[in-house]
Amino acid sequence: MTQLTIGHLAERAGVATSAIRFYESRGLISSVRTAGNQRRYAQSTLRRIAFIRTAQRVGLSLDEIGAALATLPDGRTPTKSDWHRLSKAWRPRLDEQIERIERLRDRLDSCIGCGCLSLKTCALSNPGDEAGEWGTGAVFLEPSGADR
Ligand code: FES
């Protein structure tokens, strides 16, 4: 079986060697050591890294990715059907992220030309704030906003 050096793996996977060491330190990929204590990776690690990178783009944390990989029997590399099952489960999450970004984009329209950056009312400087739902600008100074 062909085994890859960390440099070769990094080049083929399109990631930095530091990322590979990091994924390995988090238990997402593994290597064997040569007699000279150098890392060697199985060819299948390429697919595993592709899986990790794609999952990160979807917004999954490394812990979540590790949990997903742990559902695979014997820690094997994800197959096409594994990928189908896992990616299907992530679809609602991606939809939610898209909705959130669209809401943020719509609020940005209100910020353009405003400039208040209010910690209480600006949806961009404080995106989780409920007050952002009430309107833009100084809503607490407006009669309709003061009663809320
Ligand atoms: S700058 Fe965002 S509401 Fe004023």
Side-chain angles (χ1 to χ4, degrees):
M1 181 181 5
T2 306
Q3 294 199 315
L4 305 171
T5 64
I6 190 167
H8 197 188
L9 180 65
E11 186 184 326
R12 297 268 309 271
V15 299
T17 54
S18 57
I20 291 173
R21 282 191 290 272
F22 181 65
Y23 293 153
E24 190 169 352
S25 74
R26 296 295 300 260
L28 302 176
I29 60 173
S30 61
S31 65
V32 293
R33 297 288 178 144
T34 64
N37 201 31
Q38 292 183 326
R39 292 176 164 96
R40 291 291 184 272
Y41 298 89
Q43 190 90 14
S44 59
T45 310
L46 282 166
R47 187 173 181 87
R48 219 169 155 91
I49 290 175
F51 176 86
I52 295 165
R53 302 274 293 164
T54 306
Q56 283 184 302
R57 286 192 190 105
V58 174
L60 269 73
S61 69
L62 290 177
D63 285 344
E64 290 171 315
I65 295 167
L69 288 170
T71 66
L72 304 175
D74 304 322
R76 66 170 162 69
T77 297
T79 62
K80 189 175 176 180
S81 68
D82 293 326
W83 172 242
H84 177 74
R85 176 177 54 87
L86 292 168
S87 61
K88 194 174 168 188
W90 298 341
R91 173 65 192 259
R93 184 189 187 117
L94 206 49
D95 288 344
E96 184 188 311
Q97 286 177 2
I98 290 167
E99 279 176 34
R100 195 169 57 246
I101 289 171
E102 284 177 345
R103 281 199 304 273
L104 208 52
R105 179 201 58 200
D106 294 345
R107 288 175 175 180
L108 176 63
D109 288 344
S110 304
C111 288
I112 295 171
C114 174
C116 73
L117 284 177
S118 165
L119 291 176
K120 288 186 178 174
T121 60
C122 176
L124 290 185
S125 69
N126 188 7
D129 193 305
E130 283 185 346
E133 302 283 345
W134 302 342
T136 57
V139 294
F140 287 106
L141 299 177
E142 296 168 4
S144 59
D147 297 334
R148 295 181 184 177

